[in-house]
Amino acid sequence: MDQLEMKKLAAQAALQYVKADTIVGVGSGSTVNCFIEALGSMKNQIKGAVAASKASEELLRQQGIEVFSANEVSALDIYVDGADEINPQKMMIKGGGAALTREKIVAALAKKFICIVDTSKQVDVLGSTFPLPVEVIPMARSQVGRKLVALGGAPEYREGVVTDNGNVILDVHNFKILNPVEMEKELNNVAGVVTNGIFALRSADVVIVGTPEGAKIID
């Protein structure tokens, strides 16, 4: 079974958490694209969705699902998103698609965060296989880069990428994130950082892993 098939298994399994007459929070990325496609089968049962990226908004509309802005809702029943890495404590690194800030905003609205991944995303320590994305105000790029170096990281400017918020991304290599909560707080306090890709303060409530044997739910 290839990676895409495992992503589809996880995405399909997430539908069981979608309740009728609710607005669904939807993240971004390749696994979420599979979920949006599956969610199309429920378009007449739900009210609509709040999306964490413009790309996801477009895919939702293609499925005939009404898109709401985060400002139009006070809370969401669930938020479904993928991860670039996830540890056994359900904490994640996200931001490979440069939508990390909006993903944190929509996740914060949700009563339940459901993370859908394939087996390749599971790690014991965050930062093991994937650099940490940090969204930065453009004028602060060099300043933030120096701070990240001082913390032991090796930041790399993601060339040609501008976030939906008009900012830039620094991908930080060489971070082994042993205390994700403290690291998330510390990086977010650096002047010029919009947010970083550690999702520890708001970790997942449910993880659905697509495996060759089927979808495994970690609740």
Side-chain angles (χ1 to χ4, degrees):
M1 180 176 289
D2 67 18
Q3 195 174 14
L4 178 59
E5 289 174 302
M6 289 190 281
K7 289 178 180 183
K8 286 181 176 179
L9 283 174
Q12 190 68 38
L15 289 182
Q16 66 190 278
Y17 294 94
V18 179
K19 296 177 184 174
D21 298 318
T22 61
I23 298 173
V24 181
V26 176
S28 62
S30 58
T31 311
V32 171
N33 292 348
C34 297
F35 174 71
I36 292 172
E37 187 176 339
L39 190 62
S41 67
M42 298 183 69
K43 66 183 178 184
N44 296 323
Q45 297 166 252
I46 61 172
K47 290 181 179 176
V50 172
S53 72
K54 292 177 181 176
S56 291
E57 285 181 8
E58 181 59 32
L59 288 175
L60 285 161
R61 290 191 178 99
Q62 287 174 15
Q63 290 292 333
I65 297 168
E66 185 174 356
V67 175
F68 295 85
S69 79
N71 288 321
E72 292 179 281
V73 300
S74 57
L76 295 167
D77 193 55
I78 63 167
Y79 174 62
V80 179
D81 203 354
D84 298 305
E85 286 186 343
I86 188 160
N87 70 13
Q89 293 75 42
K90 304 189 184 79
M91 299 173 180
M92 296 152 280
I93 282 181
K94 294 175 50 51
L100 57 163
T101 300
R102 293 189 178 204
E103 287 167 347
K104 281 195 178 180
I105 292 166
V106 185
L109 285 167
K111 297 170 189 171
K112 184 172 281 190
F113 184 166
I114 296 152
C115 182
I116 51 175
V117 292
D118 62 83
T119 54
S120 71
K121 311 299 186 187
Q122 294 179 291
V123 297
D124 291 324
V125 178
L126 296 180
S128 298
T129 64
F130 201 85
L132 175 66
V134 180
E135 182 166 347
V136 179
I137 302 290
M139 70 173 286
R141 189 181 93 199
S142 296
Q143 171 193 326
V144 172
R146 288 190 291 271
K147 177 65 174 176
L148 293 168
V149 169
L151 290 170
E156 181 181 346
Y157 173 48
R158 197 183 296 182
E159 294 278 358
V161 172
V162 177
T163 71
D164 285 349
N165 311 310
N167 299 314
V168 298
I169 298 287
L170 296 177
D171 290 308
V172 190
H173 300 263
N174 297 348
F175 270 163
K176 289 289 187 289
I177 303 165
L178 300 174
N179 192 330
V181 170
E182 290 308 312
M183 179 69 91
E184 182 177 359
K185 290 178 183 177
E186 182 173 10
L187 294 177
N188 281 349
N189 280 330
V190 175
V193 169
V194 180
T195 198
N196 69 85
I198 302 173
F199 281 61
L201 294 166
R202 179 59 172 113
S203 57
D205 299 297
V206 177
V207 180
I208 304 176
V209 186
T211 77
E213 292 76 42
K216 177 185 174 187
I217 297 175
I218 306 168
D219 207 334

